[in-house]
Amino acid sequence: MTDAPEEMLGVAERGVRAIRALGADQAEVYLWTARSWEAREAGGLRTIQEADESGVSVRVNVGGRRASSTTTGTSDEAVMWAARRAVTLAGLRPQNATPWLLPSPDDRTLRPPTNAHPALARPDPERMLGVVDLAGDAVRDANGIDYVSAALVTHQGRFVVANTSGVLTWDQNAHEAFAGEVRGAHEGEARTKRVSIQERRPIDFDRDVRASFEAAIALATEREAKIPLDRPRPGA
């Protein structure tokens, strides 16, 4: 998977030129990559996994006929496959009298590159497992809780846009998301409460998760919950 900005910009720029050579009056190439790491603890089982995704989307206008095509990958070959298909599809479409306004270089929706938190650039699996371990252990200690799961996902994304209006830009984002589930019962009634947190920095159990999990335990069991502050940390 090609995810270096310079390489992706080159692929997109070459793609726009190639699409014009295929007969398109206007063209736009959109490349994207995504990488994620997930740490999960459910029923006492700990797992961590990594996943990569990438793709390309091509839009064309050929003599007033518009079409688009997408495929996986960010290579020159992937762009050309999508380009040829889009141009072929455009030839089968009726003409559209409305002008097609592509984004221009001064379009405010095209943001400058976002500086991601440095700690999210190289995720630490042990830190991530530590957060879900603390969440799982803390909730299991509460009376009336039948099941708990916790997952922490670090996500990195990057995209590149190039078109015949002169746009050639890229952006990136990174965030961390925590999702937890608590199952309990009160007076014979089963209750499930969920916790969802997203931050553009590393998530910390005490700072970000504790209060939400205490509230989830209380709602699931109708009992006040206070997770001890002095819980031992994994690896300590």
Side-chain angles (χ1 to χ4, degrees):
M1 179 179 70
T2 298
D3 62 359
E6 298 79 6
E7 294 181 23
M8 292 176 68
L9 287 167
V11 171
E13 190 174 26
R14 290 191 296 274
V16 169
R17 291 199 301 266
I19 296 169
R20 288 298 306 276
L22 291 174
D25 303 302
Q26 293 174 289
E28 183 172 80
V29 175
Y30 179 94
L31 302 174
W32 62 271
T33 64
R35 177 169 291 159
S36 63
W37 293 259
E38 180 184 35
R40 179 177 292 274
E41 200 273 8
L45 179 64
R46 305 161 74 232
T47 60
I48 189 160
Q49 59 184 9
E50 180 180 346
D52 291 323
E53 296 179 289
S54 63
V56 57
S57 177
V58 169
R59 298 193 298 166
V60 302
N61 178 15
V62 183
R65 296 176 171 86
R66 305 172 195 170
S68 63
S69 180
T70 62
T71 189
T72 57
T74 56
S75 65
D76 290 285
E77 291 77 13
V79 172
M80 286 308 302
W81 185 92
R84 292 189 183 96
R85 186 169 186 269
V87 170
T88 299
L89 290 173
L92 304 175
R93 302 280 172 82
Q95 281 191 323
N96 193 316
T98 305
W100 190 32
L101 301 178
L102 287 171
S104 62
D106 58 354
D107 193 322
R108 293 185 178 182
T109 63
L110 297 172
R111 300 168 296 169
T114 303
N115 292 321
H117 194 290
L120 297 182
R122 294 181 177 275
D124 179 1
E126 286 303 314
R127 177 191 66 81
M128 296 174 67
L129 285 169
V131 172
V132 297
D133 278 349
L134 287 168
D137 291 346
V139 178
R140 270 193 297 273
D141 289 347
N143 292 326
I145 296 299
D146 301 321
Y147 174 83
V148 58
S149 68
L152 184 65
V153 178
T154 300
H155 176 88
Q156 299 173 357
R158 182 171 290 155
F159 76 82
V160 160
V161 180
N163 66 28
T164 48
S165 292
V167 167
L168 182 61
T169 188
W170 69 282
D171 197 2
Q172 63 183 358
N173 62 73
H175 67 264
E176 201 155 82
F178 177 89
E181 181 177 297
V182 177
R183 299 178 192 172
H186 176 66
E187 297 181 350
E189 176 192 359
R191 296 183 176 184
T192 298
K193 300 300 175 183
R194 295 179 176 86
V195 174
S196 180
I197 300 165
Q198 182 169 305
E199 299 287 351
R200 296 185 67 87
R201 53 165 171 75
I203 287 177
D204 177 79
F205 178 80
D206 289 331
R207 179 187 61 212
D208 303 310
V209 179
R210 176 186 301 281
S212 296
F213 251 43
E214 288 176 346
I217 296 170
L219 290 170
T221 63
E222 292 293 336
R223 299 186 181 95
E224 182 179 5
K226 289 295 180 184
I227 300 171
L229 288 170
D230 58 350
R231 296 188 63 81
R233 297 297 190 262

